């Protein structure tokens, strides 16, 4: 059975981008693949969270994984830091990762620009830690959003390099995966690129948002002055709104509003936003309710995390043991 690995950084509540870029695929794959889904708590240290926030954010992602439909009996659901062999593998892979390629990675360049006061070595070697997460279970497929594509290319490169250096075919070269075939980028509500957590929280719809918050955010989402004629291409703002429709609404609904755009009709954006609010609320509501229930069940959460850690250890420790052997470490005792 093909192996699947993926993770999400615990830096706050999960939003629709995380769901449709990653989590939705996790849920589908757990019935047909051997799956390892983790919470990337080592990765989140690059931004220096305080201990209480770190724990709360890890708990939130665990709860949201389960609320969205991950099944701890089918998949290994675990904390990255509960598989400390990941850190050893990161060290070993770092020996074959080069400064130039790490400095050229788009996410590193982005961080240098946006947080010049905290350009730590963890940020530079972030893609190597990701490769360790993936290769530690020798994964075939990695469900991720479009923004992670370059990291997956680097993972493949590290797998290839290790195999070449030690004349082995030990590592599989894993590929980024989405059920819709193309990796997705869910746009933000404020019209600035991808959906992500912004300071105001108005750019993203979170899985734990209540009806009022969803309504407020969609009402505030940017639109334009209306179609400027018949059959014109969508403006970027309206393209964003339709991208959100595609996630949660039926084909009929989408076609109904597309027709209005194509006919160059005036004054239907109010109706359109009302429909998007209704469909978004029906999508988010059941997940939010499960989030609320699961958050209170500490005993269940600890059972899930323990089971996940055991499953991850069984697979990961064995990979690192074999890797040590290939590299040439031998015990004297
Ligand atoms: P992170 O935590 O930023 O995001 C988690 C997942 O959500 C996807 N995503 C999106 N997809 C589509 N549209 C969006 N607007 C959007 N925003 C986020 C991301 O592509 C990702 O799949 N480095 C990773 C975590 C990680 C990881 C790994 C992933 C660590 N080790 C090993 C896969 C395998 C990250 O920071 O994702």
């Amino acid at each position: 059975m093909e192996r699947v690995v993926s993770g999400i950084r615990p830096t706050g509540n999960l939003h629709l981008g995380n769901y449709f870029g990653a989590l939705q695929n996790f849920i589908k794959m757990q019935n047909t693949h051997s799956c390892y889904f983790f919470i990337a708590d080592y990765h989140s240290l690059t931004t220096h969270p305080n201990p209480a926030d770190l724990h709360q954010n890890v708990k939130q992602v665990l709860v949201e994984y389960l609320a969205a439909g991950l099944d701890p009996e089918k998949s290994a659901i675990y904390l990255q830091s509960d598989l400390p062999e990941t850190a050893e593998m990161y060290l070993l892979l770092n020996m074959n990762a080069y400064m130039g390629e790490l400095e050229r990675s788009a996410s590193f360049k982005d961080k240098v620009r946006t947080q010049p006061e905290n350009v730590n070595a963890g940020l530079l070697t972030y893609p190597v830690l990701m490769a360790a997460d993936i290769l530690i279970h020798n994964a075939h497929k990695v469900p991720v959003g479009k923004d992670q594509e370059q990291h997956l290319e680097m993972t493949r490169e590290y797998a290839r390099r290790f195999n070449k250096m030690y004349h082995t075919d030990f590592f599989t070269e894993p590929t980024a995966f989405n059920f819709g075939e193309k990796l997705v980028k869910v746009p933000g509500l404020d019209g600035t690129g991808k959906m992500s957590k912004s300071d105001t929280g108005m750019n993203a719809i979170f899985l734990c948002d209540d009806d009022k918050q969803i309504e407020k955010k969609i009402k505030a989402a940017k639109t334009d002055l209306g179609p400027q004629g018949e059959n014109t291409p969508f403006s970027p703002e309206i393209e964003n709104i339709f991208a959100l429709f595609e996630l949660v609404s039926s084909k009929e609904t989408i076609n109904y509003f597309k027709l209005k755009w194509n006919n160059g009709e005036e004054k239907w954006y109010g109706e359109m936003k009302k429909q998007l609010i209704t469909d978004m609320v029906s999508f988010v509501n059941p997940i939010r309710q499960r989030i609320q229930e699961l958050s209170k069940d500490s005993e269940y959460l600890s059972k899930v995390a323990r089971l996940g850690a055991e499953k991850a250890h069984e697979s990961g420790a064995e990979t690192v043991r074999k890797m040590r052997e290939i590299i040439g470490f031998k015990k004297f005792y």
Side-chain angles (χ1 to χ4, degrees), residues 96-140:
N96 287 328
Y98 294 97
M99 283 293 283
E101 66 195 356
L102 293 169
E103 279 168 346
R104 277 194 302 277
S105 117
S107 60
F108 180 69
K109 285 201 277 198
D110 189 51
K111 290 287 190 270
V112 171
R113 207 168 31 82
T114 55
Q115 53 175 70
E117 73 295 344
N118 180 24
V119 184
N120 56 64
L123 277 177
L124 182 71
T125 54
Y126 189 104
V128 187
L129 182 53
M130 257 185 83
D133 295 326
I134 297 166
L135 299 178
I136 203 163
H137 302 298
N138 223 335
H140 298 86

Side-chain angles (χ1 to χ4, degrees), residues 150-167:
Q150 192 184 26
H151 289 151
L152 260 293
E153 275 166 27
M154 294 172 84
T155 298
R156 276 197 295 282
E157 178 60 37
Y158 297 139
R160 245 192 322 270
R161 219 172 260 172
F162 182 91
N163 286 349
K164 193 159 172 238
M165 176 172 258
Y166 294 103
H167 311 289

Side-chain angles (χ1 to χ4, degrees), residues 5-9 15 17-18 20-22 38 40 43 80 126 129-130 133-134 142-148 151-152 184-187 194-196:
V5 173
S6 196
I8 298 184
R9 254 176 320 140
H15 51 69
N18 300 132
F20 288 100
F38 63 94
H43 273 106
Q80 188 185 28
Y126 189 104
L129 182 53
M130 257 185 83
D133 295 326
I134 297 166
V142 187
V144 282
K146 182 90 185 142
D147 59 334
Q148 299 296 320
H151 289 151
L152 260 293
V184 302
K185 176 182 126 180
V186 175
K194 68 172 177 172
M195 182 172 284
S196 63

Side-chain angles (χ1 to χ4, degrees), residues 224 227 232-234 238 257-264 268-269:
D224 58 13
T232 54
F234 283 146
I238 296 303
F257 290 109
K258 264 190 187 155
L259 196 64
K260 288 185 181 292
W261 173 273
N262 285 335
N263 289 341
W268 47 277
Y269 285 177

Side-chain angles (χ1 to χ4, degrees), residues 159-208:
R160 245 192 322 270
R161 219 172 260 172
F162 182 91
N163 286 349
K164 193 159 172 238
M165 176 172 258
Y166 294 103
H167 311 289
T168 169
D169 56 3
F170 182 59
F171 285 123
T172 308
E173 287 183 33
T175 48
F177 181 83
N178 184 284
F179 265 102
E181 298 196 351
K182 281 213 307 236
L183 301 186
V184 302
K185 176 182 126 180
V186 175
L189 292 171
D190 63 6
T192 59
K194 68 172 177 172
M195 182 172 284
S196 63
K197 272 175 289 279
S198 63
D199 291 342
T200 60
M202 290 296 280
N203 185 36
I205 291 177
F206 297 101
L207 299 179
C208 62

